[in-house]
């Protein structure tokens, strides 16, 4: 029997709300803004690349979350997040913006559905996050929407908007 608490509901609500905000940020961009360089440390990413990153990172979070829920360790020892991110973004380069937006919508719904199926007791399970190391499932799923918030702030900053939203 699935037991859900207010904490559980809050995570799902924040995933939905922050996902909607991120999608709105992307959907408000002009065609020219999609080609704006947003990151230059390591690989050079445009805002379109960042959208691809959001899709691939969330899919990987789902994968590791399921692994931990099934008794696994999560991300493997020695996981190199920059290599993963750059390979994934390159692998999605041929997808159109509209395809990537649809991917992000579907991926977020999959995440919300995954969280809906987690029993509260399982939120305490621990595993390895690809960047932050050992943490609980609850913390990992909170990081998904915080990851969205961080990158949305970076988009606003590079386009000259407020970073206090």
């Amino acid at each position: 029997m699935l037991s859900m608490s207010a904490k559980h509901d809050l995570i799902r609500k924040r995933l939905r709300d922050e996902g909607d905000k991120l999608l709105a940020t992307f959907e408000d961009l002009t065609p020219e803004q999609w080609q704006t360089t947003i990151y230059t440390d390591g690989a050079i990413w445009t805002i379109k690349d960042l959208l691809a990153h959001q899709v691939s990172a969330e899919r990987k979070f789902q994968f590791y979350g399921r692994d931990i829920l099934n008794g696994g360790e999560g991300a493997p020892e020695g996981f190199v997040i920059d290599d993963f991110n750059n390979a994934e973004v390159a692998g999605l380069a041929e997808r159109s913006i509209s395809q990537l937006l649809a991917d992000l919508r579907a991926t977020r719904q999959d995440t919300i559905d995954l969280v809906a199926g987690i029993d509260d007791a399982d939120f305490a399970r621990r595993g390895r996050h690809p960047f932050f190391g050992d943490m609980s499932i609850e913390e990992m799923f909170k990081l998904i929407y915080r990851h969205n918030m961080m990158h949305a702030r970076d988009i606003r900053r590079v386009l000259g908007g407020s970073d206090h939203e």
Side-chain angles (χ1 to χ4, degrees):
M1 177 87 179
L2 187 67
S3 164
M4 288 197 274
S5 66
K7 170 178 63 178
H8 189 266
D9 291 338
L10 177 64
I11 292 170
R12 289 178 30 234
K13 180 181 181 342
R14 291 295 303 269
L15 283 165
R16 181 165 311 286
D17 292 350
E18 294 305 327
D20 289 347
K21 287 180 191 176
L22 183 63
L23 279 161
T25 297
F26 283 126
E27 289 168 342
D28 287 344
L29 297 173
T30 66
E32 298 76 28
Q33 288 173 321
W34 281 103
Q35 298 311 312
T36 302
T37 299
I38 190 162
Y39 299 120
T40 58
D41 53 337
I44 296 175
W45 282 5
T46 64
I47 293 176
K48 180 182 183 249
D49 295 328
L50 176 58
L51 172 57
H53 163 68
Q54 289 290 304
V55 171
S56 67
E58 188 157 338
R59 287 176 177 164
K60 198 56 144 177
F61 282 134
Q62 291 171 4
F63 176 82
Y64 289 137
R66 284 186 185 98
D67 181 61
I68 294 164
L69 289 167
N70 291 321
E73 296 180 2
E77 287 280 354
F79 184 88
V80 181
I81 198 160
D82 289 337
D83 292 349
F84 168 80
N85 286 336
N86 291 328
E88 288 287 309
V89 167
L92 293 171
E94 296 304 314
R95 293 194 62 74
S96 70
I97 290 167
S98 62
Q99 288 171 320
L100 288 168
L101 287 168
D103 292 345
L104 185 59
R105 269 187 207 86
T107 300
R108 176 50 50 96
Q109 187 59 55
D110 291 345
T111 300
I112 292 167
D113 293 346
L114 176 58
V115 170
I118 299 173
D119 189 84
D120 274 357
D122 287 332
F123 272 121
R125 286 182 183 244
R126 299 190 72 81
R128 195 174 305 106
H129 182 277
F131 184 76
F132 292 105
D134 181 66
M135 65 176 39
S136 71
I137 289 285
E138 177 184 355
E139 293 167 322
M140 283 190 196
F141 281 102
K142 287 180 178 179
L143 278 174
I144 293 173
Y145 62 77
R146 290 177 180 147
H147 183 240
N148 295 155
M149 295 164 71
M150 177 191 73
H151 285 306
R153 181 196 66 219
D154 292 346
I155 292 169
R156 289 190 302 274
R157 198 175 283 155
V158 77
L159 295 178
S162 170
D163 63 351
H164 299 291
E165 290 183 23

